[in-house]
Amino acid sequence: MIKVFLRKKISRRVVDGHPWIFSNEIEKVDGLLSGGEIVNVFTHDNKFIGSGYINPKSQIMVRLLTRDKGIGINEDFFYKRILQCWEYRQKIGYTENCRLAFGEADSLPQLIIDKFNDYFVIQTLALGIDLWKTAIVDALKKIFNPRGIYERNDVPVRELEGMEQHKGFLSTPFDTNIIIHENGLKFNVDIENGQKTGYFLDQQDNRKAIEHIVKGADVLGAFTYTGSFEIHAACYGAKSVLGIDISENAVQQANQNAALNEVASICKFQTANAFDVLKEWSKEEKRYDVVMLDPPAFTKSRETIQKAIAGYKEINLRGMKLTKPGGFLVTSSCTSLVNAELFLQTLDMAAKDAKRTLRQVTFRTQSPDHPIIRGIENTEYLKFLIVEVQ
Ligand code: SAH
């Protein structure tokens, strides 16, 4: 087994429980590396830290899978880990649709598995986990006897690991347009061509959180994707709902979802750039009872954080102006580099410019099937805020 020794003068982060080891924290590697191998990691003075996978091409050179000394990393290891993931989701009550494996938060670094009832969508985003794909698929087959398993590895981050982007079946081919149930409503999920794994499960509880504020309301939603928030609003008794997304394909699916839930007469969707229409409509003094914003991540790099904050400020400022006094703004951010405090500060700045006061209804994060591990920053990424805009 290849041995990795850490430098003496590095922070305690890894010893304290963080699973990532950066290349500049490594003193030496005993053994030849091609990439993806399982290695044992030791302190400078030969104390065992844990086992994980290595990739010399990656800045995060090792990702730890376990800190137990006697455990072998093999097919059975992955079967047991995935079974543990499932037992945890059952315990916390997320069974029909859930993020079954959330990477580092499930001690399965860079592995994402979304469960859509009997269908599973997998992403293996690092070489060291990609090499175990067959073991992971076998474990899913053994535990769930699924109707289908699909790989959505068409993700640019794989190229940083020296891997190609790829998508395709990991089971017998099946119809990749499926219908899932969420909060009693129905949604089409396009596993093959939808964004990310096809559907954003992380907002499933937050969609329910709008139930009371949308009754009898005129609602505007921007960055709607397949219309999940907007269709919830319509089904919860909104008077009218308009959803905006830049993707024509998303708008088409959103219209289908509205029809599927029999709310097409009150819930309409339009293809447009939200930055343009929010600005235009706020200047035209259009007003809504509820405005909902759920943009994509604005940055993945520290260098462009200021630009991301400017983006959040702009759309939220416009969103506030578009909200009638006493109406509600429902606003999200999934940029993990913009933490909760920074996001709230940005909203305060927007409120000041809009000359409005915000009264907080609720401030939340992602649903608990995407667990947060204290000390692993990236596991806490979603911010979801409802405010009354006075
Ligand atoms: N609210 C959705 C998820 C939104 S994901 C849900 O709960 O499922 C973000 C969406 O923003 C994507 O569908 C993307 O197409 C859209 N988008 C990105 N840039 C945009 C822009 N400038 N204007 C409008 N929509 C945009």
Side-chain angles (χ1 to χ4, degrees):
M1 173 81 78
I2 297 167
K3 286 182 166 183
V4 172
F5 293 92
L6 301 188
R7 294 218 159 111
K8 190 172 176 187
K9 283 190 182 145
I10 51 171
S11 75
R12 290 192 49 84
R13 190 179 44 83
V14 178
V15 174
D16 288 346
H18 202 287
W20 293 355
I21 297 162
F22 291 93
S23 50
N24 63 5
E25 293 175 308
I26 295 175
E27 177 70 42
K28 64 166 180 165
V29 178
D30 274 358
L32 271 180
L33 293 179
S34 56
E37 294 96 337
I38 300 296
V39 297
N40 282 336
V41 180
F42 299 86
T43 57
H44 71 283
D45 52 353
N46 209 21
K47 291 195 187 85
F48 178 81
I49 293 181
S51 307
Y53 58 77
I54 192 163
N55 186 355
K57 284 209 180 91
S58 173
Q59 233 185 12
I60 304 170
M61 204 146 147
V62 179
R63 290 182 162 99
L64 293 176
L65 288 157
T66 179
R67 286 173 183 267
D68 290 341
K69 203 169 182 178
I71 290 195
I73 311 294
N74 50 31
E75 280 75 10
D76 190 50
F77 172 87
F78 286 99
Y79 168 75
K80 285 192 179 128
R81 270 282 150 86
I82 291 169
L83 189 60
Q84 280 167 0
C85 290
W86 179 225
E87 284 167 356
Y88 182 69
R89 270 57 180 188
Q90 286 174 295
K91 261 188 211 160
I92 61 168
Y94 290 77
T95 50
E96 190 173 328
N97 311 311
C98 63
R99 177 145 293 187
L100 177 68
F102 183 42
E104 276 71 353
D106 282 299
S107 298
L108 287 165
Q110 301 304 102
L111 174 65
I112 300 294
I113 307 176
D114 276 352
K115 175 181 186 292
F116 298 116
N117 203 353
D118 292 329
Y119 298 91
F120 293 78
V121 183
I122 295 184
Q123 295 179 315
T124 45
L125 304 175
L127 177 62
I129 196 76
D130 192 68
L131 295 175
W132 292 96
K133 210 160 59 190
T134 310
I136 293 159
V137 168
D138 286 349
L140 289 177
K141 286 184 176 161
K142 211 158 138 190
I143 301 168
F144 297 99
N145 189 21
R147 280 199 161 167
I149 307 175
Y150 198 85
E151 171 180 6
R152 282 300 302 270
N153 272 330
D154 47 331
V155 189
V157 74
R158 275 173 57 101
E159 290 174 10
L160 299 177
E161 287 271 323
M163 296 187 290
E164 288 179 353
Q165 296 193 45
H166 172 76
K167 62 179 177 179
F169 293 101
L170 292 172
S171 65
T172 330
F174 57 95
D175 181 353
T176 47
N177 283 299
I178 60 165
I179 292 177
I180 63 165
H181 295 93
E182 179 183 275
N183 302 320
L185 312 182
K186 285 184 245 172
F187 293 96
N188 285 295
V189 176
D190 181 349
I191 287 177
E192 185 181 355
N193 297 313
Q195 296 182 23
K196 304 276 175 81
T197 61
Y199 190 78
F200 295 96
L201 288 170
D202 53 0
Q203 294 270 33
Q204 55 179 313
D205 294 345
N206 299 337
R207 294 185 187 111
K208 179 125 186 17
I210 66 168
E211 182 171 1
H212 301 290
I213 58 163
V214 295
K215 288 214 164 63
D218 289 317
V219 178
L220 173 66
F223 310 94
T224 62
Y225 185 41
T226 55
S228 59
F229 271 101
E230 291 67 26
I231 287 155
H232 274 75
C235 293
Y236 288 147
K239 192 160 80 192
S240 77
V241 185
L242 175 60
I244 303 292
D245 200 282
I246 203 162
S247 150
E248 238 168 78
N249 188 33
V251 165
Q252 210 178 347
Q253 278 195 61
N255 280 322
Q256 276 173 20
N257 280 330
L260 189 65
N261 290 282
E262 295 172 17
V263 289
S265 59
I266 47 167
C267 195
K268 309 279 183 201
F269 293 92
Q270 230 172 281
T271 312
N273 185 331
F275 281 91
D276 296 342
V277 294
L278 290 174
K279 191 171 172 184
E280 226 173 88
W281 293 353
S282 72
K283 283 192 176 154
E284 287 169 13
E285 298 194 1
K286 285 195 180 174
R287 296 294 176 257
Y288 297 86
D289 300 300
V290 176
V291 174
M292 308 192 290
L293 308 171
D294 185 16
F298 283 154
T299 182
K300 289 197 164 63
S301 119
R302 280 184 204 282
E303 283 89 69
T304 47
I305 257 193
Q306 279 313 322
K307 222 174 136 201
I309 290 168
Y312 284 122
K313 187 177 167 199
E314 165 67 14
I315 56 168
N316 282 287
L317 171 67
R318 302 295 172 194
M320 287 171 201
K321 287 191 171 167
L322 284 162
T323 307
K324 288 180 193 164
F328 294 92
L329 176 70
V330 178
T331 183
S332 301
S333 156
C334 59
T335 306
S336 65
L337 286 171
V338 175
N339 65 25
E341 201 188 330
L342 197 49
F343 182 60
L344 293 176
Q345 277 169 5
T346 308
L347 284 163
D348 289 344
M349 288 192 303
K352 210 170 147 201
D353 285 6
K355 300 191 174 62
R356 308 290 287 270
T357 299
L358 306 180
R359 175 151 71 172
Q360 183 171 316
V361 179
T362 186
F363 185 49
R364 307 160 157 225
T365 184
Q366 69 255 19
S367 57
D369 54 331
H370 298 58
I372 292 167
I373 305 288
R374 298 280 154 216
I376 309 185
E377 319 77 30
N378 302 36
T379 60
E380 184 169 15
Y381 68 97
L382 189 70
K383 283 77 57 189
F384 174 83
L385 177 72
I386 303 182
V387 283
E388 185 195 43
V389 185
Q390 296 180 332

